Amino acid sequence: MKLSDDIEKVLISEEQLEAINTRLAKELSTDYAEKNPIFVCVLKGAVLFLTDLVRKMDSPVEIEFMDVSSYGDEMTSSGDVKILKDLDVSVAGRDVVFIEDIIDTGLTLKYLIELFKTRQAKSVRICTLLDKEENRQVNIKSDYVGTTVPNEFVVGYGLDFAEKYRNLPYIGVLKPEVYQN
Ligand code: IMP
C-alpha cells in the first residue's frame, strides 16, 4: 500500500516544516543560550520534530523522553494520563521544555506540567509543532508554536493514526473513509 493514497490533502509541506523548525530553533537557541535546558520529548509523535529541531540549534540542550498514554478512544484524549516511561534524570532546579507534536484538548500537558511543578523544575515551558486551539478543554498555552491547525485529524511527520502514517514527511489530513472503517 501507499500511505499517500490515504491522504486527502497536505496541510503542511516539507518545506513549511523546515521553515517552522528553523524559526523555532532560532528562538529557542536565543532564549536558552545559557540555560542548558532539558528538552522532554513526549513519545512517540514528537520524535521527528525533536530531532529536526535540535539539529538546527547552536546552544546546549539535553534530550530526555517520556511516554504517556491517555485513556479514551483512539482519536480523543480523556485526560486520564498514565506514565508508561518516566524520565531517567531529576528535573529539580532545571529549565524544562516539553517538546510536543500537537496540543489538542491540552489535558496531557496540563497533567505533565503539574507533575513537573511538584518535581521542582526551575521553569517549564512548552514547544509544540501544532496547536489545535479550537479543541482546547483546559487553559494551557504553548510558549513556542509551529503553527495552528484546524480541528481535523492530522497525520504524518510523527503523528499517527493506529500507529500508521508517522513516516510521512509532511502533515496531512486523512481521508474520512480511512478512520470511519
Ligand atoms: P491532548 O491531551 O488532547 O492535548 O492530546 C495530545 C495528544 O493527542 C497528542 O500528543 C497526539 O498524540 C494526540 N493527537 C491529538 N490530535 C491528534 C491528531 O490530529 N492526529 C494525531 N494525534 C493527535
Side-chain angles (χ1 to χ4, degrees), residues 77 100-102 104-108 132 152-154 159-160:
S77 175
E100 258 287 19
D101 50 355
I102 186 165
D104 184 23
T105 61
L107 290 162
T108 308
K132 230 189 239 183
E152 287 178 297
F153 197 79
V154 295
L159 290 132
D160 76 308

Side-chain angles (χ1 to χ4, degrees), residues 34-83:
E34 309 301 331
K35 296 190 165 157
N36 192 30
I38 303 182
F39 278 16
V40 177
C41 175
V42 184
L43 293 170
K44 304 171 195 164
V47 168
L48 278 73
F49 174 43
L50 171 88
T51 57
D52 281 347
L53 183 69
V54 294
R55 265 181 282 196
K56 290 176 177 288
M57 291 181 64
D58 195 14
S59 63
V61 295
E62 291 179 23
I63 296 169
E64 295 291 337
F65 296 91
M66 265 184 107
D67 194 4
V68 299
S69 77
S70 76
Y71 297 105
D73 64 53
E74 281 173 24
M75 294 178 75
T76 54
S77 175
S78 67
D80 204 356
V81 179
K82 184 178 169 199
I83 296 179

Side-chain angles (χ1 to χ4, degrees), residues 81-98:
V81 179
K82 184 178 169 199
I83 296 179
L84 302 174
K85 184 214 172 302
D86 207 337
L87 295 187
D88 302 319
V89 296
S90 164
V91 295
R94 301 292 305 269
D95 293 297
V96 172
V97 182
F98 278 108

